PDB file of all heavy atoms in Angstrom:
ATOM      1  N   LYS A 170      -5.244  34.853  -5.551  1.00 44.00           N
ATOM      2  CA  LYS A 170      -4.059  34.355  -5.987  1.00 44.00           C
ATOM      3  C   LYS A 170      -4.166  33.680  -7.206  1.00 44.00           C
ATOM      4  O   LYS A 170      -5.064  32.818  -7.443  1.00 44.00           O
ATOM      5  CB  LYS A 170      -3.439  33.453  -4.905  1.00 44.00           C
ATOM      6  CG  LYS A 170      -2.113  32.941  -5.252  1.00 44.00           C
ATOM      7  CD  LYS A 170      -1.232  32.877  -4.024  1.00 44.00           C
ATOM      8  CE  LYS A 170       0.118  32.223  -4.428  1.00 44.00           C
ATOM      9  NZ  LYS A 170       0.809  33.068  -5.502  1.00 44.00           N
ATOM     10  N   SER A 171      -3.182  33.891  -8.192  1.00 42.00           N
ATOM     11  CA  SER A 171      -3.119  33.101  -9.412  1.00 42.00           C
ATOM     12  C   SER A 171      -2.058  32.039  -9.163  1.00 42.00           C
ATOM     13  O   SER A 171      -0.928  32.436  -8.765  1.00 42.00           O
ATOM     14  CB  SER A 171      -2.958  33.909 -10.635  1.00 42.00           C
ATOM     15  OG  SER A 171      -1.629  34.106 -10.810  1.00 42.00           O
ATOM     16  N   ILE A 172      -2.381  30.789  -9.383  1.00 51.00           N
ATOM     17  CA  ILE A 172      -1.565  29.776  -9.099  1.00 51.00           C
ATOM     18  C   ILE A 172      -0.884  29.308 -10.370  1.00 51.00           C
ATOM     19  O   ILE A 172      -1.552  28.840 -11.261  1.00 51.00           O
ATOM     20  CB  ILE A 172      -2.232  28.511  -8.415  1.00 51.00           C
ATOM     21  CG1 ILE A 172      -3.128  29.022  -7.264  1.00 51.00           C
ATOM     22  CG2 ILE A 172      -1.277  27.383  -8.003  1.00 51.00           C
ATOM     23  CD1 ILE A 172      -2.466  29.654  -6.174  1.00 51.00           C
ATOM     24  N   GLY A 173       0.415  29.187 -10.426  1.00 45.00           N
ATOM     25  CA  GLY A 173       1.066  28.772 -11.707  1.00 45.00           C
ATOM     26  C   GLY A 173       1.316  27.239 -11.571  1.00 45.00           C
ATOM     27  O   GLY A 173       0.715  26.450 -10.820  1.00 45.00           O
ATOM     28  N   LEU A 174       2.229  26.688 -12.339  1.00 43.00           N
ATOM     29  CA  LEU A 174       2.402  25.249 -12.516  1.00 43.00           C
ATOM     30  C   LEU A 174       3.170  24.651 -11.381  1.00 43.00           C
ATOM     31  O   LEU A 174       3.227  23.560 -11.256  1.00 43.00           O
ATOM     32  CB  LEU A 174       3.198  25.037 -13.804  1.00 43.00           C
ATOM     33  CG  LEU A 174       2.389  25.252 -15.065  1.00 43.00           C
ATOM     34  CD1 LEU A 174       3.380  25.072 -16.366  1.00 43.00           C
ATOM     35  CD2 LEU A 174       1.287  24.386 -15.204  1.00 43.00           C
ATOM     36  N   ALA A 175       3.726  25.527 -10.461  1.00 61.00           N
ATOM     37  CA  ALA A 175       4.491  24.985  -9.342  1.00 61.00           C
ATOM     38  C   ALA A 175       3.617  24.163  -8.412  1.00 61.00           C
ATOM     39  O   ALA A 175       4.127  23.370  -7.709  1.00 61.00           O
ATOM     40  CB  ALA A 175       5.225  26.130  -8.620  1.00 61.00           C
ATOM     41  N   GLY A 176       2.333  24.352  -8.487  1.00 74.00           N
ATOM     42  CA  GLY A 176       1.485  23.457  -7.691  1.00 74.00           C
ATOM     43  C   GLY A 176       1.272  24.037  -6.233  1.00 74.00           C
ATOM     44  O   GLY A 176       1.821  25.088  -5.839  1.00 74.00           O
ATOM     45  N   LEU A 177       0.589  23.142  -5.541  1.00 78.00           N
ATOM     46  CA  LEU A 177       0.222  23.596  -4.115  1.00 78.00           C
ATOM     47  C   LEU A 177       1.409  23.690  -3.167  1.00 78.00           C
ATOM     48  O   LEU A 177       1.372  24.380  -2.228  1.00 78.00           O
ATOM     49  CB  LEU A 177      -0.777  22.639  -3.517  1.00 78.00           C
ATOM     50  CG  LEU A 177      -2.244  22.849  -4.015  1.00 78.00           C
ATOM     51  CD1 LEU A 177      -3.104  21.888  -3.196  1.00 78.00           C
ATOM     52  CD2 LEU A 177      -2.713  24.270  -3.750  1.00 78.00           C
ATOM     53  N   ALA A 178       2.521  23.007  -3.512  1.00 75.00           N
ATOM     54  CA  ALA A 178       3.658  23.048  -2.646  1.00 75.00           C
ATOM     55  C   ALA A 178       4.159  24.389  -2.609  1.00 75.00           C
ATOM     56  O   ALA A 178       4.593  24.957  -1.483  1.00 75.00           O
ATOM     57  CB  ALA A 178       4.678  22.044  -3.135  1.00 75.00           C
ATOM     58  N   ALA A 179       4.217  25.176  -3.682  1.00 69.00           N
ATOM     59  CA  ALA A 179       4.662  26.443  -3.792  1.00 69.00           C
ATOM     60  C   ALA A 179       3.705  27.368  -2.906  1.00 69.00           C
ATOM     61  O   ALA A 179       4.101  28.261  -2.309  1.00 69.00           O
ATOM     62  CB  ALA A 179       4.724  26.965  -5.176  1.00 69.00           C
ATOM     63  N   VAL A 180       2.341  27.054  -3.057  1.00 65.00           N
ATOM     64  CA  VAL A 180       1.422  27.920  -2.324  1.00 65.00           C
ATOM     65  C   VAL A 180       1.663  27.815  -0.857  1.00 65.00           C
ATOM     66  O   VAL A 180       1.640  28.769  -0.086  1.00 65.00           O
ATOM     67  CB  VAL A 180      -0.005  27.416  -2.691  1.00 65.00           C
ATOM     68  CG1 VAL A 180      -0.989  28.287  -1.866  1.00 65.00           C
ATOM     69  CG2 VAL A 180      -0.306  27.608  -4.078  1.00 65.00           C
ATOM     70  N   PHE A 181       1.896  26.510  -0.482  1.00 65.00           N
ATOM     71  CA  PHE A 181       2.180  26.234   0.881  1.00 65.00           C
ATOM     72  C   PHE A 181       3.351  26.952   1.464  1.00 65.00           C
ATOM     73  O   PHE A 181       3.498  27.556   2.467  1.00 65.00           O
ATOM     74  CB  PHE A 181       2.298  24.729   1.137  1.00 65.00           C
ATOM     75  CG  PHE A 181       2.479  24.378   2.633  1.00 65.00           C
ATOM     76  CD1 PHE A 181       1.623  24.678   3.560  1.00 65.00           C
ATOM     77  CD2 PHE A 181       3.680  23.675   2.872  1.00 65.00           C
ATOM     78  CE1 PHE A 181       1.880  24.406   4.878  1.00 65.00           C
ATOM     79  CE2 PHE A 181       3.955  23.397   4.196  1.00 65.00           C
ATOM     80  CZ  PHE A 181       3.029  23.690   5.230  1.00 65.00           C
ATOM     81  N   MET A 182       4.484  26.938   0.594  1.00 60.00           N
ATOM     82  CA  MET A 182       5.741  27.525   1.031  1.00 60.00           C
ATOM     83  C   MET A 182       5.464  29.031   1.181  1.00 60.00           C
ATOM     84  O   MET A 182       6.006  29.646   2.106  1.00 60.00           O
ATOM     85  CB  MET A 182       6.839  27.357  -0.124  1.00 60.00           C
ATOM     86  CG  MET A 182       7.207  25.961  -0.349  1.00 60.00           C
ATOM     87  SD  MET A 182       8.026  25.251   1.088  1.00 60.00           S
ATOM     88  CE  MET A 182       9.643  25.916   0.791  1.00 60.00           C
TER      89      MET A 182
END
Side-chain angles (χ1 to χ4, degrees):
K170 180 139 177 62
S171 84
I172 312 297
L174 289 175
L177 281 184
V180 176
F181 177 60
M182 297 294 278

